[in-house]
Structures are given as C-alpha cells and as structure tokens.
Amino acid sequence: MRLGIAGRVGRWLAGAAVGLLVAGPAMAQGAGNGFLFGEPDAQFTIRAGYAHASAGGDLFQETTDRFTLSKGDFSGPTFGAGIAFRIAPQFDISLDLDYAGINKRSEYRDFLDNDNLPIEQTTTFQRVPVMANLKMYLTPRGRSVGRLAFIPAKVVPWIGAGAGMEWYRFKQSGDFIDFNTNVVSPGEVTTSSWSPALQGMGGVDVSLTPRIALTGDARYTWSRATPGDDYQGYDKIDLSGVSVALGLTFRL
C-alpha cells in the first residue's frame, strides 16, 4: 500500500467524528428528557486503548534475539471505530475497523560498528483488523414507555464474535550487518499482506445521556500470515492479540 494505512484510518475516523458533530443537533431532536423517541436502529462507537501482541513465530524470535527488543515492544496503543445495526431486540450486526501500531528504536545486541558505536535501526509493526461481528446484549437495552418513548438501560453488558480480514506490516529500517562480508550498510526490509481473522469480544455500555454511552471493550483477535517480500522463508507470523479500550457510543 503506497498510502499509509494509519493515515487512511486516521482520516476515516476524523471524518466520522466530524459527521457526528454535524449530526448532533438532529440527534438532539430525537431525544426527550431522559428518553428517546423510539428505540435506536443503529449506533456508532469510537474507542482507544491498548493492544497486546502475541508476537509469536521465528521472525519475532530472531528480531528479539538479534536486536535490543523484547516481545512486549510489539504491543502498544490502539484506536478504532465501529457501526452496529439492530437486527433483534438483543442482537446487533457490527462492522469494526481498528488500528494498532508501534515504532521502536533498537540496536544489535552483540555488535558495534568500527567506531565502537551502536548499529541502530527502527522496527515498525502495524495491524488493522476489519471485522464483521454478531453482538448479543445480555440484558435488555432499555424499555418502551407508551408507543413512542424509549428509556435506555443504565448498564448493559454484551458479548460477540465475528470474522474478517487483518492487514499487517512488519518493517525494519536503519543500519544492518551483512554477515557474509561483515559490512554495515543502510537498508530497509518489509513484508505486508492481508490474512483471514477471527474475533471474540465482550464489553459493557454505561448510559451517560439518552443518546451517548460510555463503552468498555475487550477483544481477542486471532490471525496468522505467511511473510513474503523481504522475509520469505520464515514460518507464519502471529498477528493475534488482546486489546482493551474505552470509548463513546452514539445511538443513532
């Protein structure tokens, strides 16, 4: 991808946030004093948190053995968004897009250059799962009063599962040793692709207003990919991991 996936995700989320701000007055017209005029048919969530990377496979093992990195260095911040559509009183179908990425400086553990200086490089690891999920709410989302008014419940836990595709990129740039010639030279090596993914998740929505809820979110995403490009010959790279996030859900 010639355009950075992080930039695309960031622009998409920014556009969604602007859309919510523009739609704010219209949304307010659909809410009364502590209730909504009808049960919402959809909701939009934005979230941010921390994504732990499993970082399994010989590519990660070689990287942590050779450079001053640990498996924990491949974990870092995450942000994302999702839109859900009600298909039954306690069920939604959601489409979710998340991004997790790190850039870590490192150096060779056991080697210095001819001036006794560290031989440095930067490692980038990015993951972007794009998932379709089925969500089940474990308690009623609210109650209807008369024919028009709907009062959202204060606290509603939920669970879900889904499938989709996950994009990743693993890149190292900086100075490297050619062990055939013992020469240090600058360079860049990278691999990226899409891979099938599965996801399990759970969370809770806590109503702040009739239209807005605070959402706690935990997800486990499973995915593995065969490295290519400059990393051909390695075992499958483990893209799996657990993420926890806090966000806002807007009832539409």
Side-chain angles (χ1 to χ4, degrees):
M1 294 186 176
R2 298 183 66 87
L3 294 177
I5 191 76
R8 293 182 181 183
V9 173
R11 288 194 295 273
W12 188 86
L13 292 177
V18 170
L20 285 171
L21 292 175
V22 173
M27 291 172 60
Q29 295 175 9
N33 184 18
F35 63 89
L36 300 174
F37 294 107
E39 185 174 356
D41 293 319
Q43 57 188 26
F44 178 80
T45 301
I46 53 175
R47 55 184 172 266
Y50 183 83
H52 171 77
S54 297
D58 57 355
L59 176 54
F60 287 109
Q61 187 64 55
E62 180 182 280
T63 299
T64 55
D65 287 345
R66 181 172 293 179
F67 305 113
T68 53
L69 294 169
S70 66
K71 289 184 69 172
D73 289 325
F74 300 105
S75 303
T78 181
F79 60 90
I83 187 165
F85 301 94
R86 182 171 64 91
I87 58 173
Q90 289 184 236
F91 290 90
D92 280 356
I93 289 290
S94 71
L95 301 175
D96 293 271
L97 173 69
D98 291 274
Y99 171 84
I102 59 94
N103 287 282
K104 290 291 184 180
R105 299 279 298 175
S106 64
E107 59 191 64
Y108 278 89
R109 291 186 183 275
D110 302 318
F111 301 95
L112 300 172
D113 66 13
N114 292 333
D115 297 320
N116 288 324
L117 296 175
I119 304 170
E120 299 177 322
Q121 55 288 134
T122 299
T123 298
T124 300
F125 181 47
Q126 298 168 300
R127 293 174 290 159
V128 181
V130 182
M131 309 296 293
N133 298 294
L134 177 65
K135 295 176 64 176
M136 181 178 73
Y137 292 85
L138 302 180
T139 59
R141 289 188 258 190
R143 60 188 178 91
S144 296
V145 180
R147 295 174 54 190
L148 298 178
F150 179 81
I151 301 176
K154 184 64 177 177
V155 178
V156 184
W158 52 267
I159 57 174
M165 299 292 289
E166 184 166 13
W167 179 86
Y168 84 95
R169 177 166 61 187
F170 186 91
K171 181 178 73 173
Q172 293 178 301
S173 58
D175 293 328
F176 299 94
I177 301 173
D178 183 338
F179 288 100
N180 293 320
T181 62
N182 291 325
V183 173
V184 177
S185 58
E188 179 179 290
V189 285
T190 185
T191 179
S192 65
S193 70
W194 289 90
S195 180
L198 299 174
Q199 187 174 82
M201 59 187 189
V204 62
D205 294 340
V206 180
S207 291
L208 303 177
T209 72
R211 283 290 180 190
I212 302 173
L214 181 67
T215 298
D217 184 299
R219 297 165 185 253
Y220 177 79
T221 303
W222 182 92
S223 182
R224 297 177 184 271
T226 301
D229 303 316
D230 300 318
Y231 289 98
Q232 295 186 30
Y234 286 86
D235 294 338
K236 285 192 174 184
I237 186 171
D238 189 356
L239 307 176
S240 306
V242 176
S243 65
V244 292
L246 198 62
L248 292 175
T249 292
F250 301 87
R251 301 181 178 108
L252 306 178

